Amino acid sequence: MKLQRMNRRALTLGALAVSGALALTACGSDDTGDKSGGGNATTSAAGDIKCDDAKGQLLADGSSAQKNAIDAWVKNFTQACNGVQINYKGGGSGAGVTAFTQGQVAFAGSDSALKPEEITASKQVCKGGQGVDLPMVGGPIAISYNIPGVDNLVLDAPTLAKIFDSKITNWNDKAIKALNPDAKLPDLKIQAFHRAEDSGTTDNFTKYLIATTPENWKYDGGKAWQAKGGQAASGSAGVAQQVKQNSGAIGYMELSYAKEMSTVALDTGAAAPVKASTDSATKAIADAKVVGTGKDLALELNYKTKAEGAYPITLVTYEIVCDKGNKADTLPATKAFLRYLASEDGQKVLVDNDYAPIPAEIIAKVRTTIEELS
């Protein structure tokens, strides 16, 4: 990959290899303390990561959407802070929230903010506090497809809704033809794949359909898939694999899972259709509003945006952690790891892995909240 950057970053431990030769960067907190290697700060090939008193094992679970980013971060962090082991299972947002509210993990990843009942449940684990949502990873939900001979496919919200609700079942349907007058659409059955388990990716994908075409998507939404028909696959990786293997397939997944696959350009009503990219996702997230209270930084995304170059099927993955009442044996490592994720260099890792950094104004609030965790 970016060999020049890797050469600049490589210090005593060399460059890291994650998902190929990724140029990973890292740093410590965004405080102004000494970063010359004194104290507990540890220098690695990635840069300076402030380990503090971090040690032991961190167990975490949740969003598979951020798994590729987490893997890169963990590789960097544990190389610098070799007294810490981090095990992130990536079993899906639903599994992560359940594990968190049952006190099984130090933090969880979720592509949906905590619901009121989940916040209530978290108070049993966070003694004197509660679980809070820290937006850490942004990314477009790409719509990948496998249609022989079709490299540039345009779809809009109504057509997507009908495809995933089994109302449009063939690729040469007139609605798809109308959006793609120059494409040679085959007489081929559509195979629509969705997530088998509770998933924040499903939640965000269906929130887009509910917001933009409620007349064609008459479901309540949520982490569980509700529409009839289609085929299920486990995790974003599973959906991606099924789309790759099946002619006529279509599925939704994070952009990092859609490498070397054809992706839909979305007709949002803007001047030109928009493809999923880190830039188009960041433009959409910048239009979000913080709707959480106190230290909770839950966001409300604008799925109806028609801004030029903004891709509205975008999710934000939250790291969910106790604001107060964290376990004493895992708090130092939790804070140190989250501090790195939210740092400037930690956020740069996202771009190298096809994710979108959180906009500056929002990530600044995240950094403040992390320093106040207790």
Side-chain angles (χ1 to χ4, degrees), residues 18-374:
V18 180
S19 300
L22 292 175
L24 300 182
T25 53
C27 77
S29 65
D30 54 332
D31 61 15
T32 56
D34 178 23
K35 295 186 179 182
S36 62
N40 291 321
T42 302
T43 301
S44 74
D48 293 336
I49 294 177
K50 189 176 180 183
C51 301
D52 288 336
D53 298 318
K55 60 183 178 180
Q57 186 178 48
L58 282 185
L59 298 179
D61 195 3
S63 166
S64 69
Q66 69 169 357
K67 184 65 164 60
N68 291 338
I70 288 284
D71 287 347
W73 278 326
V74 168
K75 193 86 170 184
N76 253 12
F77 184 82
T78 55
Q79 184 173 353
C81 305
N82 55 21
V84 182
Q85 292 181 326
I86 301 175
N87 181 1
Y88 182 82
K89 292 175 63 178
S93 297
V97 171
T98 297
F100 179 76
T101 56
Q102 292 180 352
Q104 298 172 359
V105 294
F107 70 92
S110 177
D111 307 321
S112 301
L114 291 169
K115 296 178 180 178
E117 61 270 23
E118 293 168 340
I119 293 176
T120 299
S122 74
K123 293 179 181 179
Q124 300 300 313
V125 175
C126 307
K127 302 303 182 182
Q130 66 176 52
V132 292
D133 301 288
L134 304 180
M136 201 71 76
V137 181
I141 301 173
I143 311 298
S144 293
Y145 65 92
N146 181 349
I147 310 174
V150 180
D151 297 323
N152 296 292
L153 182 70
V154 176
L155 296 175
D156 58 11
T159 308
L160 270 176
K162 292 173 184 177
I163 286 172
F164 280 92
D165 198 23
S166 302
K167 300 293 177 59
I168 292 178
T169 59
N170 201 288
W171 281 115
N172 64 358
D173 187 273
K174 61 181 182 180
I176 303 176
K177 285 183 176 180
L179 292 165
N180 300 273
D182 297 326
K184 295 181 179 179
L185 296 166
D187 182 5
L188 178 65
K189 181 181 178 181
I190 294 173
Q191 298 188 63
F193 286 90
H194 57 264
R195 289 283 288 275
E197 75 283 7
D198 285 3
S199 161
T201 311
T202 293
D203 190 16
N204 283 273
F205 176 58
T206 55
K207 278 180 179 176
Y208 166 75
L209 298 178
I210 291 169
T212 55
T213 184
E215 67 278 13
N216 292 302
W217 195 259
K218 299 181 180 180
Y219 301 98
D220 295 334
K223 294 186 180 74
W225 184 257
Q226 297 174 327
K228 309 302 180 185
Q231 301 178 63
S234 296
S236 294
V239 173
Q241 189 64 27
Q242 290 298 324
V243 174
K244 288 179 183 178
Q245 292 178 346
N246 291 279
S247 180
I250 186 171
Y252 57 91
M253 67 203 72
E254 293 69 41
L255 183 61
S256 62
Y257 290 92
K259 290 182 179 296
E260 300 179 0
M261 301 172 68
S262 297
T263 58
V264 167
L266 197 64
D267 184 348
T268 64
V274 185
K275 276 203 168 188
S277 71
T278 56
D279 287 344
S280 62
T282 297
K283 288 179 181 179
I285 297 170
D287 198 26
K289 297 179 181 179
V290 175
V291 294
T293 58
K295 295 180 181 179
D296 188 89
L297 297 174
L299 301 177
E300 182 178 83
L301 298 173
N302 180 12
Y303 294 103
K304 295 182 179 181
T305 183
K306 295 182 181 179
E308 297 300 326
Y311 185 82
I313 315 181
T314 296
L315 60 75
V316 170
T317 299
Y318 302 92
E319 310 312 331
I320 296 171
V321 65
C322 295
D323 58 354
K324 297 179 181 179
N326 289 279
K327 295 179 181 178
D329 59 339
T330 58
L331 178 60
T334 300
K335 288 186 69 171
F337 185 57
L338 294 179
R339 180 187 294 124
Y340 163 54
L341 271 55
S343 71
E344 182 177 348
D345 283 353
Q347 287 287 296
K348 287 179 182 177
V349 171
L350 295 176
V351 178
D352 287 334
N353 288 273
D354 295 311
Y355 294 96
I358 301 299
E361 182 178 349
I362 299 172
I363 202 67
K365 295 178 181 179
V366 172
R367 292 169 184 156
T368 298
T369 298
I370 290 170
E371 296 306 322
E372 295 173 350
L373 298 179
S374 63

